[in-house]
Tab-separated table of all heavy atoms in Angstrom:
chain	number	residue	atom	x	y	z
A	1	PHE	N	102.727	124.290	13.959
A	1	PHE	CA	103.099	124.065	12.567
A	1	PHE	C	104.610	123.880	12.526
A	1	PHE	O	105.348	124.745	13.015
A	1	PHE	CB	102.713	125.263	11.694
A	1	PHE	CG	101.244	125.362	11.371
A	1	PHE	CD1	100.328	125.699	12.357
A	1	PHE	CD2	100.783	125.111	10.097
A	1	PHE	CE1	98.977	125.789	12.072
A	1	PHE	CE2	99.433	125.205	9.791
A	1	PHE	CZ	98.524	125.543	10.782
A	2	GLU	N	105.074	122.774	11.947
A	2	GLU	CA	106.492	122.476	11.884
A	2	GLU	C	106.931	122.383	10.424
A	2	GLU	O	106.603	121.435	9.711
A	2	GLU	CB	106.790	121.156	12.605
A	2	GLU	CG	106.439	121.174	14.091
A	2	GLU	CD	106.665	119.827	14.754
A	2	GLU	OE1	106.960	118.840	14.040
A	2	GLU	OE2	106.547	119.753	15.990
A	3	ARG	N	107.599	123.426	9.962
A	3	ARG	CA	108.165	123.483	8.607
A	3	ARG	C	107.109	123.107	7.564
A	3	ARG	O	107.336	122.300	6.658
A	3	ARG	CB	109.402	122.595	8.490
A	3	ARG	CG	110.492	122.938	9.492
A	3	ARG	CD	111.757	122.119	9.272
A	3	ARG	NE	112.456	122.550	8.058
A	3	ARG	CZ	113.300	123.573	7.998
A	3	ARG	NH1	113.548	124.306	9.078
A	3	ARG	NH2	113.898	123.886	6.871
A	4	VAL	N	105.946	123.734	7.681
A	4	VAL	CA	104.824	123.413	6.802
A	4	VAL	C	104.911	124.223	5.508
A	4	VAL	O	105.026	125.452	5.530
A	4	VAL	CB	103.482	123.687	7.514
A	4	VAL	CG1	102.319	123.563	6.523
A	4	VAL	CG2	103.301	122.728	8.676
A	5	THR	N	104.851	123.515	4.406
A	5	THR	CA	104.820	124.128	3.082
A	5	THR	C	103.527	123.703	2.386
A	5	THR	O	103.096	122.557	2.509
A	5	THR	CB	106.019	123.680	2.236
A	5	THR	OG1	107.217	124.234	2.807
A	5	THR	CG2	105.906	124.155	0.798
A	6	LYS	N	102.908	124.654	1.695
A	6	LYS	CA	101.735	124.349	0.892
A	6	LYS	C	101.916	124.939	-0.494
A	6	LYS	O	102.157	126.147	-0.640
A	6	LYS	CB	100.463	124.911	1.535
A	6	LYS	CG	99.207	124.695	0.686
A	6	LYS	CD	98.928	123.232	0.412
A	6	LYS	CE	97.701	123.050	-0.480
A	6	LYS	NZ	97.474	121.616	-0.806
A	7	GLN	N	101.819	124.067	-1.494
A	7	GLN	CA	101.937	124.488	-2.880
A	7	GLN	C	100.672	124.137	-3.648
A	7	GLN	O	100.048	123.105	-3.407
A	7	GLN	CB	103.144	123.806	-3.543
A	7	GLN	CG	104.492	124.203	-2.945
A	7	GLN	CD	105.628	123.403	-3.542
A	7	GLN	OE1	105.599	122.170	-3.536
A	7	GLN	NE2	106.630	124.101	-4.062
A	8	PHE	N	100.316	125.023	-4.562
A	8	PHE	CA	99.271	124.740	-5.539
A	8	PHE	C	99.948	124.769	-6.907
A	8	PHE	O	100.209	125.850	-7.445
A	8	PHE	CB	98.154	125.772	-5.463
A	8	PHE	CG	97.382	125.744	-4.165
A	8	PHE	CD1	97.682	126.639	-3.150
A	8	PHE	CD2	96.361	124.833	-3.966
A	8	PHE	CE1	96.969	126.624	-1.958
A	8	PHE	CE2	95.646	124.802	-2.769
A	8	PHE	CZ	95.957	125.687	-1.771
A	9	GLY	N	100.276	123.603	-7.421
A	9	GLY	CA	101.073	123.554	-8.648
A	9	GLY	C	102.441	124.160	-8.394
A	9	GLY	O	103.152	123.765	-7.470
A	10	GLU	N	102.799	125.157	-9.190
A	10	GLU	CA	104.099	125.809	-9.023
A	10	GLU	C	104.045	126.977	-8.034
A	10	GLU	O	105.087	127.556	-7.710
A	10	GLU	CB	104.612	126.305	-10.375
A	10	GLU	CG	104.888	125.183	-11.378
A	10	GLU	CD	105.465	125.696	-12.672
A	10	GLU	OE1	105.585	126.937	-12.807
A	10	GLU	OE2	105.793	124.874	-13.540
A	11	LEU	N	102.857	127.300	-7.556
A	11	LEU	CA	102.703	128.418	-6.623
A	11	LEU	C	102.888	127.937	-5.190
A	11	LEU	O	102.153	127.060	-4.719
A	11	LEU	CB	101.315	129.044	-6.787
A	11	LEU	CG	100.965	130.177	-5.812
A	11	LEU	CD1	101.878	131.379	-6.035
A	11	LEU	CD2	99.500	130.571	-5.960
A	12	THR	N	103.846	128.520	-4.485
A	12	THR	CA	104.066	128.206	-3.080
A	12	THR	C	103.348	129.246	-2.236
A	12	THR	O	103.700	130.426	-2.248
A	12	THR	CB	105.567	128.199	-2.736
A	12	THR	OG1	106.221	127.213	-3.536
A	12	THR	CG2	105.788	127.870	-1.264
A	13	VAL	N	102.330	128.802	-1.490
A	13	VAL	CA	101.506	129.715	-0.703
A	13	VAL	C	102.036	129.839	0.718
A	13	VAL	O	102.006	130.914	1.315
A	13	VAL	CB	100.034	129.242	-0.698
A	13	VAL	CG1	99.156	130.200	0.093
A	13	VAL	CG2	99.515	129.110	-2.114
A	14	LEU	N	102.512	128.741	1.294
A	14	LEU	CA	103.197	128.748	2.584
A	14	LEU	C	104.546	128.083	2.405
A	14	LEU	O	104.662	127.057	1.729
A	14	LEU	CB	102.385	127.992	3.653
A	14	LEU	CG	101.095	128.636	4.146
A	14	LEU	CD1	100.401	127.715	5.145
A	14	LEU	CD2	101.343	129.993	4.776
A	15	ARG	N	105.573	128.667	3.043
A	15	ARG	CA	106.936	128.186	2.818
A	15	ARG	C	107.614	127.870	4.160
A	15	ARG	O	107.966	128.764	4.920
A	15	ARG	CB	107.742	129.260	2.080
A	15	ARG	CG	109.109	128.817	1.590
A	15	ARG	CD	109.872	129.997	0.993
A	15	ARG	NE	109.083	130.705	-0.011
A	15	ARG	CZ	109.015	130.346	-1.295
A	15	ARG	NH1	109.702	129.308	-1.721
A	15	ARG	NH2	108.283	131.042	-2.143
A	16	GLU	N	107.717	126.560	4.485
A	16	GLU	CA	108.420	126.080	5.686
A	16	GLU	C	108.021	126.886	6.920
A	16	GLU	O	108.858	127.423	7.643
A	16	GLU	CB	109.929	126.100	5.466
A	16	GLU	CG	110.369	125.123	4.377
A	16	GLU	CD	111.862	124.867	4.381
A	16	GLU	OE1	112.594	125.614	5.066
A	16	GLU	OE2	112.294	123.918	3.708
A	17	LEU	N	106.740	126.951	7.158
A	17	LEU	CA	106.192	127.749	8.247
A	17	LEU	C	106.358	127.040	9.585
A	17	LEU	O	105.974	125.879	9.736
A	17	LEU	CB	104.712	128.019	7.995
A	17	LEU	CG	103.977	128.770	9.105
A	17	LEU	CD1	104.395	130.235	9.107
A	17	LEU	CD2	102.469	128.652	8.924
A	18	ASP	N	106.904	127.740	10.570
A	18	ASP	CA	106.945	127.282	11.958
A	18	ASP	C	106.089	128.242	12.781
A	18	ASP	O	106.255	129.455	12.701
A	18	ASP	CB	108.374	127.301	12.511
A	18	ASP	CG	109.258	126.228	11.896
A	18	ASP	OD1	108.726	125.173	11.523
A	18	ASP	OD2	110.475	126.459	11.780
A	19	LEU	N	105.199	127.679	13.583
A	19	LEU	CA	104.316	128.516	14.410
A	19	LEU	C	103.804	127.699	15.578
A	19	LEU	O	103.424	126.533	15.405
A	19	LEU	CB	103.131	129.031	13.582
A	19	LEU	CG	102.062	129.829	14.339
A	19	LEU	CD1	102.634	131.137	14.857
A	19	LEU	CD2	100.847	130.079	13.454
A	20	GLU	N	103.802	128.292	16.768
A	20	GLU	CA	103.213	127.669	17.942
A	20	GLU	C	102.149	128.599	18.521
A	20	GLU	O	102.366	129.803	18.632
A	20	GLU	CB	104.270	127.384	19.014
A	20	GLU	CG	105.239	126.278	18.644
A	20	GLU	CD	106.209	125.967	19.769
A	20	GLU	OE1	106.262	126.752	20.752
A	20	GLU	OE2	106.927	124.963	19.686
A	21	VAL	N	101.019	128.015	18.889
A	21	VAL	CA	99.936	128.751	19.538
A	21	VAL	C	99.654	128.066	20.868
A	21	VAL	O	99.423	126.854	20.906
A	21	VAL	CB	98.661	128.775	18.678
A	21	VAL	CG1	97.583	129.619	19.349
A	21	VAL	CG2	98.963	129.305	17.275
A	22	THR	N	99.702	128.827	21.949
A	22	THR	CA	99.503	128.234	23.264
A	22	THR	C	98.021	128.174	23.617
A	22	THR	O	97.196	128.906	23.070
A	22	THR	CB	100.266	129.019	24.346
A	22	THR	OG1	99.848	130.386	24.320
A	22	THR	CG2	101.753	128.941	24.117
A	23	ARG	N	97.711	127.300	24.539
A	23	ARG	CA	96.328	127.078	24.954
A	23	ARG	C	95.725	128.374	25.516
A	23	ARG	O	96.304	129.020	26.377
A	23	ARG	CB	96.298	125.972	26.005
A	23	ARG	CG	94.945	125.305	26.187
A	23	ARG	CD	95.075	124.136	27.151
A	23	ARG	NE	96.040	123.152	26.689
A	23	ARG	CZ	95.733	122.157	25.856
A	23	ARG	NH1	94.493	122.027	25.422
A	23	ARG	NH2	96.659	121.301	25.473
A	24	GLY	N	94.574	128.751	25.007
A	24	GLY	CA	93.898	129.959	25.453
A	24	GLY	C	94.368	131.235	24.787
A	24	GLY	O	93.810	132.316	25.030
A	25	GLU	N	95.362	131.159	23.926
A	25	GLU	CA	95.912	132.354	23.280
A	25	GLU	C	94.979	132.876	22.187
A	25	GLU	O	94.293	132.112	21.510
A	25	GLU	CB	97.274	132.025	22.675
A	25	GLU	CG	97.953	133.211	22.019
A	25	GLU	CD	99.328	132.869	21.486
A	25	GLU	OE1	99.726	131.691	21.522
A	25	GLU	OE2	100.012	133.805	21.031
A	26	LYS	N	94.977	134.200	22.025
A	26	LYS	CA	94.270	134.847	20.931
A	26	LYS	C	95.319	135.388	19.965
A	26	LYS	O	96.041	136.337	20.285
A	26	LYS	CB	93.385	135.997	21.432
A	26	LYS	CG	92.071	135.552	22.063
A	26	LYS	CD	92.225	134.700	23.290
A	26	LYS	CE	90.902	134.334	23.941
A	26	LYS	NZ	91.071	133.356	25.030
A	27	LEU	N	95.437	134.757	18.806
A	27	LEU	CA	96.442	135.132	17.820
A	27	LEU	C	95.773	135.802	16.634
A	27	LEU	O	94.937	135.198	15.960
A	27	LEU	CB	97.205	133.893	17.340
A	27	LEU	CG	98.221	134.131	16.216
A	27	LEU	CD1	99.392	134.988	16.705
A	27	LEU	CD2	98.728	132.818	15.636
A	28	ALA	N	96.123	137.063	16.380
A	28	ALA	CA	95.636	137.778	15.197
A	28	ALA	C	96.624	137.568	14.065
A	28	ALA	O	97.838	137.685	14.251
A	28	ALA	CB	95.482	139.262	15.504
A	29	ILE	N	96.104	137.253	12.897
A	29	ILE	CA	96.928	136.993	11.718
A	29	ILE	C	96.583	138.047	10.677
A	29	ILE	O	95.438	138.117	10.203
A	29	ILE	CB	96.663	135.577	11.175
A	29	ILE	CG1	96.953	134.533	12.270
A	29	ILE	CG2	97.515	135.304	9.945
A	29	ILE	CD1	96.486	133.135	11.921
A	30	ILE	N	97.547	138.884	10.345
A	30	ILE	CA	97.305	139.997	9.434
A	30	ILE	C	98.284	139.907	8.276
A	30	ILE	O	99.257	139.158	8.310
A	30	ILE	CB	97.442	141.359	10.150
A	30	ILE	CG1	98.884	141.568	10.625
A	30	ILE	CG2	96.470	141.448	11.334
A	30	ILE	CD1	99.145	142.973	11.202
A	31	GLY	N	98.016	140.700	7.242
A	31	GLY	CA	98.902	140.720	6.091
A	31	GLY	C	98.131	140.942	4.810
A	31	GLY	O	96.899	140.890	4.784
A	32	PRO	N	98.846	141.180	3.707
A	32	PRO	CA	98.175	141.446	2.430
A	32	PRO	C	97.480	140.212	1.883
A	32	PRO	O	97.759	139.078	2.294
A	32	PRO	CB	99.340	141.877	1.518
A	32	PRO	CG	100.545	141.217	2.113
A	32	PRO	CD	100.313	141.218	3.598
A	33	SER	N	96.584	140.422	0.944
A	33	SER	CA	95.909	139.315	0.272
A	33	SER	C	96.942	138.426	-0.423
A	33	SER	O	97.919	138.922	-0.989
A	33	SER	CB	94.909	139.848	-0.755
A	33	SER	OG	93.912	140.617	-0.131
A	34	GLY	N	96.720	137.123	-0.368
A	34	GLY	CA	97.626	136.191	-1.023
A	34	GLY	C	98.867	135.851	-0.244
A	34	GLY	O	99.768	135.180	-0.765
A	35	SER	N	98.934	136.283	1.026
A	35	SER	CA	100.148	136.045	1.806
A	35	SER	C	100.145	134.708	2.536
A	35	SER	O	101.139	134.348	3.167
A	35	SER	CB	100.352	137.177	2.823
A	35	SER	OG	99.243	137.271	3.697
A	36	GLY	N	99.043	133.962	2.465
A	36	GLY	CA	98.993	132.643	3.080
A	36	GLY	C	98.173	132.545	4.345
A	36	GLY	O	98.086	131.479	4.957
């Protein structure tokens, strides 16, 4: 993900997200509800 932003109207759900996942990696994604 390269500087990815996702908006729903005026609500910004993801803000300039950078993320790399390597081949075979197991990535756990945690956080509160509504965090993207």
Side-chain angles (χ1 to χ4, degrees):
F1 284 71
E2 298 176 353
R3 303 185 72 84
V4 171
T5 292
K6 176 59 182 177
Q7 295 174 306
F8 294 98
E10 296 183 356
L11 176 65
T12 300
V13 181
L14 290 177
R15 189 185 308 275
E16 295 195 348
L17 176 73
D18 290 330
L19 175 66
E20 290 184 349
V21 183
T22 57
R23 200 174 302 274
E25 182 177 6
K26 282 62 177 172
L27 175 67
I29 302 169
I30 65 173
S33 298
S35 59

